[in-house]
Amino acid sequence: MKKRRRGLVVAVIIAIVGVLFGTIIYIRSDREKRKDGIQTSTNEIQLKGEAFPWNGCYRIIRADNSDLQLSFEKDTQTVKASSMSGGYANDILYDWIYDGEKITFAILRNAYNEIYVLEEVEEGNLSGTCQYMSRETAVILEKYRDTANTKEQSNQDMKRSGKEQVDLLNAYSEYKTDELVYDYTYDLNQKELYRDFINTYELDRIAEGKSDIELMMALMNWLCDICKHGSTAYYESSSIDEIVTYGKENGLNCRCLSLVLSEVMRMYGIKAKVIWCYPKDDYFDDCHVVVQAYSEKTKQWIMFDPTYRLTLQTKTGEYMDIQGLREWIRTYGYDLEGMTPESSYYLVSNEDAGYTGNAEYGFNLKDYANYMAKNLFRLKCLSKNTILGTKCFQNTYTIELIPTNYNIAGIELFKANEIDLSGKYVYSTDVDKFFKLPE
């Protein structure tokens, strides 16, 4: 009896140990499995756990107009992330896990982790939630291309020669009218809202006695004097006072410089807006942002580029706007190497133009034209031009001008019943409407 009882106890102990050992193995296996799906501090990762089924490129659709893009390559189990405007700090990915249905990941955004949980929905798009600073919102990632961005595909715009970029502008040179209805508005002459800011930087003194183009130039010079350009220097704030304070110490990227300049111009009654200048490729690491300001004197738009403290004129004294610069590059871009200041089509810059990050670096028209040949393929602006600094995407419409024959999969935004984003981001092929002169 005792032997039988002892044998039973031993059997129970062995069973318990077996269960515990099996559980430990299972837990370790599960942890290893999760570990296989995790890699940190990169904008490209390779999953080794569950094989996700997706292949292609996705862009985020969310009410705050974040611009996260993801690229999945099914064969190599590679995921890449990027953003167009620098709003994500180095696009650093954390803790990617795919469990066979949902993918969970984090991305560093302005020093805080932004947590996504997504799964596939109809039409191949991804849907789920995003948690950022204790706030959870619904998100959609629209599939806009069926193939992933491989290393060979990524940043093709940076690899093309200047001539190849001009070839693209000429191959995509046509626009046509469309049925989109939108209007541009400008919050003007609201100096009292900025009174402390104006007094701190003595802007009234700088603007005194100046009008129109002379005033625009003075305001651009003021900004370029106190905030140098820094390609990665981005500061997220609805206050241009905070942005400038940051910029004085750290510099500002082209987006922040242009947002500040346009806002300061509008303080003094100038109808100014920011224009995002994008390459052809739908995945890129570099673009440019400038200001388009309306001259009541000449009844035209004028391009101001605070990154280079720049305006451009023809030999006959006509100022260039963004549309005019695109057409000029299309026409004369093939002749850049042979171009000299004596050429009849040569563009004249203001005397103090030059990259603001280096006082010794002057302005080179050939270099600038080559750079802008890449960035003038697609253009984007906002319908409402207001006082929100880098939060300017709130409560407005985003219009992207694309050539008529620029067709990429998913150019029409994916609509979800849970999120009403109709009209928040629209594509237009109507160049005249996009560059419509203010009334």
Side-chain angles (χ1 to χ4, degrees):
M1 192 70 154
K2 289 183 179 178
K3 286 183 179 180
R4 195 178 289 176
R5 204 176 279 168
R6 187 181 301 128
L8 180 61
V9 170
V10 171
V12 169
I13 292 173
I14 291 173
I16 292 173
V17 170
V19 170
L20 288 174
F21 185 70
T23 302
I24 290 170
I25 292 175
Y26 174 80
I27 292 173
R28 186 176 184 278
S29 176
D30 183 64
R31 284 178 177 169
E32 289 300 315
K33 182 179 179 182
R34 288 173 59 85
K35 184 179 178 182
D36 281 344
I38 296 176
Q39 189 162 336
T40 60
S41 300
T42 179
N43 73 332
E44 178 180 341
I45 61 125
Q46 187 170 17
L47 297 177
K48 299 177 182 177
E50 294 277 358
F52 55 79
W54 308 311
N55 199 70
C57 298
Y58 297 74
R59 67 163 64 90
I60 197 169
I61 303 173
R62 193 169 62 186
D64 65 0
N65 285 283
S66 297
D67 59 1
L68 173 65
Q69 297 182 90
L70 297 179
S71 171
F72 294 94
E73 188 173 9
K74 181 178 179 180
D75 292 340
T76 61
Q77 294 297 292
T78 301
V79 186
K80 297 179 184 178
S82 70
S83 63
M84 289 189 263
S85 60
Y88 295 88
N90 300 320
D91 306 310
I92 297 176
L93 310 181
Y94 292 91
D95 298 349
W96 287 78
I97 300 174
Y98 179 64
D99 64 6
E101 292 183 1
K102 296 182 179 180
I103 190 165
T104 303
F105 65 92
I107 186 168
L108 185 65
R109 182 184 182 197
N110 302 323
Y112 293 93
N113 276 341
E114 193 170 58
I115 311 297
Y116 290 85
V117 181
L118 303 167
E119 61 183 332
E120 190 170 25
V121 294
E122 65 274 10
E123 300 182 23
N125 296 289
L126 304 178
S127 176
T129 60
C130 168
Q131 186 170 355
Y132 179 60
M133 298 181 71
S134 301
R135 180 183 177 186
E136 187 172 276
T137 57
V139 295
I140 299 290
L141 269 93
E142 172 208 28
K143 187 175 185 179
Y144 66 93
R145 194 165 78 182
D146 291 329
T147 57
N149 283 296
T150 66
K151 290 182 179 179
E152 289 72 29
Q153 290 172 317
S154 298
N155 302 313
Q156 287 297 317
D157 285 309
M158 300 298 290
K159 301 173 184 176
R160 296 187 184 104
S161 67
K163 181 182 181 301
E164 289 173 327
Q165 300 289 4
V166 176
D167 285 340
L168 280 177
L169 291 183
N170 278 292
Y172 293 85
S173 61
E174 295 183 3
Y175 299 93
K176 68 177 180 180
T177 58
D178 57 40
E179 302 302 318
L180 290 175
V181 178
Y182 57 85
D183 292 309
Y184 295 115
T185 61
Y186 305 88
D187 290 341
L188 303 176
N189 300 310
Q190 299 192 37
K191 291 169 63 175
E192 291 311 309
L193 296 176
Y194 298 91
R195 181 47 56 191
D196 290 342
F197 177 79
I198 289 172
N199 290 342
T200 297
Y201 294 103
E202 300 182 332
L203 292 180
D204 281 343
R205 179 186 59 78
I206 292 171
E208 185 178 4
K210 299 179 179 67
S211 62
D212 206 53
I213 299 174
E214 192 178 41
L215 173 58
M216 299 176 194
M217 290 295 302
L219 295 175
M220 181 173 69
N221 286 332
W222 160 79
L223 177 60
C224 293
D225 285 341
I226 64 171
C227 294
K228 305 303 181 184
H229 176 261
S231 59
T232 60
Y234 176 84
Y235 189 80
E236 183 78 13
S237 174
S238 60
S239 165
I240 62 167
D241 194 356
E242 292 181 0
I243 296 172
V244 170
T245 298
Y246 173 87
K248 287 192 299 182
E249 296 295 324
N250 304 281
L252 293 172
N253 69 359
C254 59
R255 179 187 179 191
C256 286
L257 286 171
S258 294
L259 286 167
V260 171
L261 179 58
S262 65
E263 202 163 319
V264 172
M265 284 182 171
R266 291 194 298 272
M267 288 183 206
Y268 288 87
I270 299 166
K271 293 173 182 176
K273 58 185 176 182
V274 175
I275 304 289
W276 283 259
C277 305
Y278 290 159
K280 175 182 181 292
D281 291 348
D282 46 42
Y283 181 96
F284 55 86
D285 284 342
D286 177 76
C287 65
H288 198 47
V289 187
V290 297
V291 173
Q292 189 97 303
Y294 182 67
S295 167
E296 295 286 353
K297 179 180 178 180
T298 61
K299 304 299 180 186
Q300 69 168 125
W301 290 114
I302 299 175
M303 185 192 79
F304 289 82
D305 188 342
T307 296
Y308 295 88
R309 196 192 294 254
L310 175 69
T311 61
L312 290 169
Q313 292 176 270
T314 65
K315 283 289 192 71
T316 56
E318 298 169 343
Y319 281 94
M320 298 296 292
D321 64 355
I322 294 170
Q323 182 185 9
L325 181 60
R326 190 183 196 274
E327 292 303 303
W328 183 88
I329 292 174
R330 278 206 319 113
T331 305
Y332 301 111
Y334 296 116
D335 300 328
L336 288 178
E337 291 306 315
M339 186 183 298
T340 68
E342 288 70 39
S343 303
S344 60
Y345 48 83
Y346 194 85
L347 295 181
V348 181
S349 65
N350 46 302
E351 291 185 359
D352 52 354
Y355 177 64
T356 64
N358 186 337
E360 298 178 358
Y361 184 85
F363 177 74
N364 185 297
L365 179 61
K366 298 176 187 179
D367 291 345
Y368 188 76
N370 274 313
Y371 179 61
M372 293 305 286
K374 172 180 75 71
N375 292 318
L376 289 174
F377 190 92
R378 296 179 287 150
L379 302 169
K380 184 181 83 173
C381 68
L382 304 177
S383 63
K384 185 177 181 180
N385 300 278
T386 185
I387 59 174
L388 292 173
T390 54
K391 304 286 187 179
C392 59
F393 288 100
Q394 298 177 13
N395 305 316
T396 187
Y397 298 95
T398 302
I399 306 106
E400 183 174 326
L401 179 68
I402 57 175
T404 303
N405 56 334
Y406 179 64
N407 295 314
I408 58 174
I411 198 72
E412 295 296 331
L413 288 179
F414 173 71
K415 301 298 192 300
N417 294 329
E418 303 83 33
I419 311 173
D420 180 16
L421 294 179
S422 57
K424 272 288 188 180
Y425 199 111
V426 296
Y427 294 92
S428 174
T429 57
D430 196 331
V431 67
D432 293 331
K433 190 185 303 180
F434 187 85
F435 288 114
K436 179 182 177 181
L437 296 178
E439 297 178 355

